[in-house]
Amino acid sequence: MVPDDAALDRRTLLASLGSIAGAASLAGCSLLERGEDADTTELADDRARELAERFAPTLYFDEHERWFPTDPRQYTTEDGGETVVDGFAALDGYTERFDEDDPPAPTVFYHGVEYEGSPLAAIQFWYYSAFDQFTTNFHWHDWEVLHAFVDTGTDEPQLYVASSHSGRVPNNEFLDPDPEQVPRILSELGSHSSALSLNDVPEHFRRFPDDGLLADITNSAIEGIERFAEVPVAYGLPRDEGSRVPYLVPDLDGAPIHEHDRLPSVERDDLVPDDLTVGSFDDLRSPPEGLPGRSTGQVFGHAGRDADADVEYDLVPTSELEDIADFTGPQLSFEFAVPAFAEDAIATHITTSGVPWQQARYDEPAADISDPRHRSTLADRYDAIGDPAPVNAVVAGVTRAIASDEAPENEGLTTRSLATEAVALLESEPEAVPTFAGVAAVRDVPEGEHRLTVNGAGVAPHSETVAVAGDDAPTAAGVDGEIPLVTREDATKLEVDAEGTDATLTDLAIEDDFAGRLYDAPLSGPDAVYVHRGGAYTTEVRDADDEIGAFRVNPADESRVRIDEPGTGKGSLAGYLASVAGETAADVEALVQADGDQAGDDDDAAGGQGAGDGGRENAVRGLARALEAVSQAARNAAERAAAGERGPADRSLEAVRNRLGRVADRLVDAGADLPDDLERAIDRRLDQLDRRAEQARDAGKL
């Protein structure tokens, strides 16, 4: 997520929207079953050229970019009677030819189609880079595309769709752009994901309207999840929005790619620079700091129009490339840690490129519209465009769990924005997706259960099962759409082993005394969750009979905590009550002892004449005794439940509830004499104890 001073929290969002109310949040469309689009035919050559020259984008590249748009025909070979572009040949050949002031063969390719029986046409701009190096993917042959939908009757543009990372990440789109303004593309370093820049600040991406300027996208907000109610769902350009993105260097055959013997021209300096790169996510103990933001380097413009551009590119029809059958090269990937019981598992993330003229969106450009409102608007205007289909998306805000200043040491957390963007992976899908503004959004997810893992540089991985209902509403992962990650230096692995438990456990939840619920997901078999060692946790399990069990976890300096055979029912909950009440009594008693020692020191310093503070000591000691009484009654209830004695167990639980009332009274009496952080901790634990005592009383299972 972006740093704290620029975080896209709800307050910031509402403030930023105040100047032009509602301009960026375009929610409210009705998602219908997708209708079929009309067939398309190729635009006539002269008409396609005319539109291409008019809408040819100006391309702004990062100052550290190494792989600019070029012509892949320089690197073709024959393989089995087919023309292919080999990844080694393209990357090594491009690097050999590369001159920082004069990149080789700058080229943008165009393709135009029109919908049958409709004035709607689309002119596509395809740009090829020899390599893609990013956080979530590396691959040979990177193709990006900008679709410009144009009404040929009025000659006005209707919609721009700029490609983002894969089909799982929402594209950057703008409805009804200014017909007099040439589209501008801000290309992301290494990945070449295309952000739009359509306002009066050409070199920067603006997600929200402000200072009299429109946003650079008109993507809809996320409906149905309050925390994202104002966030336009588009990838954007994270490093231009204040976020930090750590890059990785891909391995090939066990060594960094620049050391491969088939890439003699490629050296380390030909990749993304060191100050933006980390060795691996897992090697870091905390997220990297000091990663530089985005700064514009070279600007590419159409050779027939943009004389002021740093580099002029040729505009070439894609028909001149269609004899290329494939773009080849060994698969590049990186291993993605997934929390698992006992040891962590590894998922291998795979990203592939594709041949543009073999993709559906080449002849059906509306297939690339990722925002349902935009498709719905075009469907209203043109019979050739079908209504949008339901969009099944998994969405979560990724944050960082840290120690709370409001809590005693090692006894409470809060969450803040994550300093760097993270990576999300559905294990049922081959592609990981990057977060934007701290939001993980995976679109077009099939209905059913999926395992979602979120990882990042210097943080422990988070993994949970999410169920996608397929009912038009986005699926919020995490707790109310929030997934808090923990830095590796602060992480403790909490393992839950359900083997040997009589009940069939179905759910696992983890709450911190101060931060509240941090994890809540289905459970089947042994599971593991990384938690912050500075938290004080209630671990809750639920079984197939909807019975609840609870367990206290205070990891402190432990590297691993394990809960074996977690049961449910009165006995489990009573044991939890005894543990938390006893823990809190010990905290208060320690304060009494510390005060007694201090009073003794004061007496000695005064020659034995100190009077002490008996009233304060009595109030605090009374609180400690009341808490110990709760703990004893809860232990009695647990013993009775274990012996199968329901009636005595319930009577002991009723005693717990009565004694909790006395604790509340004693807390009022002693409040002025307690440290503020301890008083807050006791108050929060009392709420938890009241709730769990009621659950224990109502439990049907002993």
Side-chain angles (χ1 to χ4, degrees), residues 394 426 445 448-452 464-469 475-478 483 521-522:
V394 175
L426 285 175
V445 180
E449 285 198 347
H450 302 266
R451 188 74 172 173
L452 172 70
E464 65 177 65
T465 299
V466 293
V468 176
T475 299
I483 292 176

Side-chain angles (χ1 to χ4, degrees), residues 298-357:
Q298 290 189 319
V299 178
F300 279 42
H302 171 34
R305 185 194 61 211
D306 298 331
D308 294 333
D310 300 314
V311 178
E312 294 185 348
Y313 65 75
D314 290 333
L315 201 54
V316 177
T318 57
S319 57
E320 297 188 15
L321 296 173
E322 291 181 5
D323 64 314
I324 298 177
D326 202 1
F327 292 81
T328 65
Q331 182 62 57
L332 301 169
S333 64
F334 70 90
E335 293 183 337
F336 199 94
V338 179
F341 184 75
E343 299 296 337
D344 286 350
I346 295 294
T348 299
H349 134 82
I350 299 173
T351 299
T352 58
S353 184
V355 181
W357 37 97

Side-chain angles (χ1 to χ4, degrees), residues 473-563:
T475 299
V479 178
D480 296 328
E482 180 180 7
I483 292 176
L485 301 180
V486 183
T487 61
R488 286 190 172 273
E489 64 187 0
D490 295 319
T492 292
K493 194 172 189 181
L494 172 58
E495 299 172 349
V496 178
D497 186 2
E499 294 297 326
T501 304
D502 293 337
T504 301
L505 301 184
T506 59
D507 295 274
L508 170 65
I510 300 171
E511 297 181 17
D512 173 73
D513 286 353
F514 280 74
R517 190 158 288 211
L518 300 174
Y519 183 89
D520 193 349
L523 174 69
S524 71
D527 204 356
V529 181
Y530 280 103
V531 297
H532 193 292
R533 67 179 75 253
Y537 302 103
T538 298
T539 302
E540 176 189 286
V541 295
R542 190 178 295 265
D543 65 23
D545 297 320
D546 209 29
E547 294 281 354
I548 296 170
F551 309 88
R552 187 62 166 175
V553 174
N554 297 88
D557 294 329
E558 297 292 330
S559 62
R560 179 173 295 178
V561 177
R562 179 165 171 165
I563 300 174

Side-chain angles (χ1 to χ4, degrees), residues 362-434:
Y362 187 70
D363 293 319
E364 303 171 20
D368 223 18
I369 301 173
S370 60
D371 189 284
R373 177 191 178 275
H374 292 158
R375 171 175 271 277
S376 181
T377 299
L378 289 190
D380 288 342
R381 296 176 184 176
Y382 305 99
D383 291 340
I385 302 299
D387 288 316
V391 178
N392 295 338
V394 175
V395 183
V398 180
T399 59
R400 175 182 175 182
I402 62 173
S404 173
D405 293 337
E406 299 288 302
E409 185 177 1
N410 290 330
E411 294 187 15
L413 307 175
T414 187
T415 59
R416 293 286 186 270
S417 58
L418 190 64
T420 58
E421 297 292 351
V423 181
L425 174 71
L426 285 175
E427 292 180 36
S428 56
E429 303 294 327
E431 296 179 8
V433 302

